Amino acid sequence: MPITPFHFGPGALIKVIAPRHFSWTIFALANVLIDLEPVVLFLLIGDPAHPWLHTLPGAIGVATLAATLGRKPLEGVLVWWNRRLAFGWQTRWLTVEPGIPRSTAWLSALIGTLSHLALDSIMHADVHALWPINSGNAIQGLISLGMLHGLCMVAAVVALLAHLVARRFAPHGAPARSNR
Ligand SMILES: [Zn+2]
């Protein structure tokens, strides 16, 4: 890791940059799935290691799972979310586009796991992201943990502000189709 939620900030920033081609929910699911590896290993052997899923083949495998099995259930969650919103400020500010096209799901899942590998490689010496092409980790320690977490949080704040500005200027009653 950085613990999983820190990865969500850069994902939110990508969402505001390319809203129609990126699903934040699929991105988040892919990040949660890949971090089941250190969580489960910690519970089993007391070591939150990254031996399999935090590699190129592992990340592609996790992305495949998220894009194929996650798409329909997440669309259902987004429909459910929209239905719970009260008409008025909630529908104006919180409505999301519930459809996730297949291509968007694949792109978002791959960005999710591959960006996860990049960030985790900076933090953890045992992440061999490019295995089996290249074992080792050349970018571990590139920036400090505090700086890494700070940048992830800045990305989240910038994304939130951009979202609020976009909704503020969206036609009333027609939220931008941008917040999956
Ligand atoms: Zn991780």
Side-chain angles (χ1 to χ4, degrees), residues 1 35 50 54 116 120:
M1 303 179 248
D35 266 346
H50 308 81
H54 287 67
H116 189 105
D120 273 15

Side-chain angles (χ1 to χ4, degrees), residues 24-81:
W24 183 85
T25 46
I26 291 278
F27 172 94
L29 174 66
N31 275 281
V32 169
L33 289 178
I34 198 168
D35 266 346
L36 289 179
E37 176 176 55
V39 170
V40 168
L41 287 176
F42 178 73
L43 294 175
L44 291 177
I45 62 173
D47 180 10
H50 308 81
W52 303 297
L53 299 186
H54 287 67
T55 63
L56 202 50
I60 292 171
V62 170
T64 301
L65 273 181
T68 55
L69 301 182
R71 191 171 72 89
K72 283 295 172 191
L74 286 180
E75 284 185 333
V77 169
L78 295 174
V79 168
W80 171 84
W81 168 265

